[in-house]
Amino acid sequence: MTVLHVQGTRLAEQKISKPMVRPFLASIGFLFLLAMHYFQHNPGGSGLELSFNAASWIPFSFAVAFGLFEICRQKTWRYSRLTLILIACCTLLTVPAFYPNAVGSEVINRLLALWAGLIFFICLQQFSFTHSQRQRMLWMVLIAVWIQASLGWYQFIWLEPGNWMGYDTIGNRPYGIFQQPNVMASFLATGLVLSAYLLARIPMYRGKWSWQQLFLLLTPVITIPMLVVLSSRTGWLGAIIGTGLMIPYLRRFAAKAPYRMWLLMIALGLSASWNLASSTGWTPVEKKVSLESARSIHIPQAFNMFLKQPLTGYGYGTFETSFITQTAQWHHADPEQHFGMAALDHPHNELLYWASEGGVVPLLALLLAAAAVFAKIKKAREGTQLALVGLFFPITLHTQLEYPFYHSLAHWVIFIILIYWVDNLTAKYYRFKASYVLTIRVLVLLLPIATTSYMVTTLYSGYLLTKYETTRPVNVNYLLKVNNPWAWKHRFEWDLHVTQLQLGASSNNPTLINEYIQWATQKAVNWPRPALYQNLIAAYHLLGHTSQAEQIRQEAQYLFPNMDFTSSEATPILSLPAATK
């Protein structure tokens, strides 16, 4: 009778609701197998300016929502020591945003992505995945690599000039969906080392081969020729060193036949690269087979910026302005010092990016996070440490030579999954009772709705801006229909105000020209681009203000000493050059 008395009360035994493992994994699968491969013509750039990133944020937000809902379902937060360290590191990385020299509006997207990554890591820890479910996430990444490698082959061999993708068949460096060869290269290199890692984890039963093993063995054959023709030194180094770190792991844990066959597939991939080059007449980009690079100039310049302001940095969100003005000062004080590269909004080194803007605090935070992950790798099973380093190596190397996390959300998600994978191998999980979860429940509901709405309008606005910039004669209606100017801040403002300048010039309307001058003068403070200065000089000449035009020309010549601004008097530049997009 006691059971009857407690039924329907708080004393009754609580039924455990079904965990959200399947919806969570389905969201990640949707990201890697569908969303990240979405193609839409766009003006170029990074972040949400690339359509596949905007599409990828939608399933990513659902994955985070399912992870947060798991906390609500269990009313328990699972965490490890690494979780606490990463929370501390993200907090330290956020602190410089409150310095007086920071420009919050220019750094908010970066910080949101940082914390979104941390929350995703926490969400991964909330699930008690089976071994096959954990491994399934790595398989999703590998399938995504195959899809991109296939797209790369299609671009390299079959696309003709004037193709539907706008792919450059003359340069012919197949970038897949990423629109940047080095990002494609680090993605393929990650897939290459991942194939070796997964191959060692599949046992052979009575000498029989499985389809998974055949899939993994063919990965070098499909990825290595693409890595070769990409002419990416970052990809080459990532693939070579990553493969070298994987070989001892394969030799120790894989059966002899798969191990030898994988090495044979490496040789076959290299042979296919040679045959491909011979049959297509391909030759490597000349400047890519040497160590000469613009990075050898602007990375030391960024390091000198950090040395000049080691405590507080130049301010979050101010790198481009600080870089171009500081290098101009150094160059004019000593002409032997190289001037700054125009439109450089990242020094192509992640450590120096945070350090030059925020000083020593974010630098220590990044080094602490790296040390914490490395310590977890050292605790892993003997013989596996080098392989775990190899999994991280292609993307980690890329972060020190470029900025893959800003070009590709998929790279950021893969990096977090790898951190979770390493942590889960040796983690001891602690539990914190979460009694009040109403706020989290509201966030679970609002997050995917808000993210999906924002990203859909981002894609739609990007489509309209691309149509506006490529349609001749110009159709202003495309510009007027843009419904998310925040995601396209620089691009939308540029198109809007340059159109205003063009109308003012054609109709001899000084009011419109003055409005452009006011906007451009303010915009140059945080976005100093040569095209902006050229149009500003042209605007002053249209009004007959030659003295102000000369002042702007002198300022532009000071900042960009390798450029000629004397021709800016004639007509305005209507579109941004490709290098500044």
Side-chain angles (χ1 to χ4, degrees), residues 20-31:
M20 306 299 293
V21 173
R22 287 187 177 180
F24 181 82
L25 291 177
S27 299
I28 297 177
F30 193 89
L31 191 160

Side-chain angles (χ1 to χ4, degrees), residues 103-131:
V103 181
S105 61
E106 297 294 327
V107 77
I108 187 170
N109 288 343
R110 194 201 320 173
L111 294 179
L112 284 175
L114 172 71
W115 283 96
L118 175 64
I119 295 173
F120 178 63
F121 174 76
I122 292 172
C123 290
L124 284 165
Q125 292 184 317
Q126 305 315 304
F127 298 99
S128 298
F129 296 116
T130 65
H131 172 73

Side-chain angles (χ1 to χ4, degrees), residues 336-359:
E336 295 296 323
Q337 298 286 329
H338 206 282
F339 49 82
M341 180 183 293
L344 187 72
D345 55 6
H346 191 288
H348 291 202
N349 182 287
E350 197 65 21
L351 289 174
L352 288 177
Y353 185 40
W354 292 85
S356 60
E357 283 195 341

Side-chain angles (χ1 to χ4, degrees), residues 230-243:
L230 274 166
S231 296
S232 168
R233 289 165 296 192
T234 301
W236 293 342
L237 282 173
I240 293 170
I241 298 177
T243 299

Side-chain angles (χ1 to χ4, degrees), residues 253-268:
F253 294 103
K256 287 185 178 180
Y259 165 60
R260 292 171 179 173
M261 187 61 69
W262 193 80
L263 293 180
L264 180 62
M265 292 299 104
I266 292 288
L268 185 60

Side-chain angles (χ1 to χ4, degrees), residues 341-476:
M341 180 183 293
L344 187 72
D345 55 6
H346 191 288
H348 291 202
N349 182 287
E350 197 65 21
L351 289 174
L352 288 177
Y353 185 40
W354 292 85
S356 60
E357 283 195 341
V360 70
V361 171
L363 177 61
L364 291 177
L366 291 172
L367 294 177
L368 175 61
V373 174
F374 188 72
K376 297 295 294 186
I377 291 175
K378 286 193 66 177
K379 291 181 181 178
R381 181 182 176 184
E382 184 181 352
T384 65
Q385 293 95 335
L386 287 179
L388 294 175
V389 173
L391 288 176
F392 283 96
F393 191 82
I395 294 180
T396 302
L397 173 68
H398 197 181
T399 63
Q400 302 310 298
L401 297 173
E402 263 184 352
Y403 43 109
F405 296 148
Y406 305 82
H407 274 291
S408 167
L409 176 65
H411 280 67
W412 181 224
V413 176
I414 292 171
F415 195 73
I416 297 165
I417 289 175
L418 292 178
I419 293 175
Y420 165 74
W421 181 271
V422 167
D423 181 54
N424 187 257
L425 293 175
T426 59
K428 177 183 178 182
Y429 286 109
Y430 304 90
R431 298 177 185 274
F432 177 79
K433 208 67 179 175
S435 303
Y436 303 99
V437 293
L438 179 60
T439 304
I440 300 178
R441 287 183 181 272
V442 173
L443 188 60
V444 167
L445 180 63
L446 293 181
L447 181 64
I449 296 175
T451 303
T452 301
S453 301
Y454 189 85
M455 297 306 162
V456 169
T457 56
T458 297
L459 290 170
Y460 178 67
S461 297
Y463 163 78
L464 292 174
L465 285 173
T466 303
K467 292 289 288 184
Y468 172 77
E469 294 175 353
T470 56
T471 302
R472 294 294 179 268
V474 173
N475 187 346
V476 183

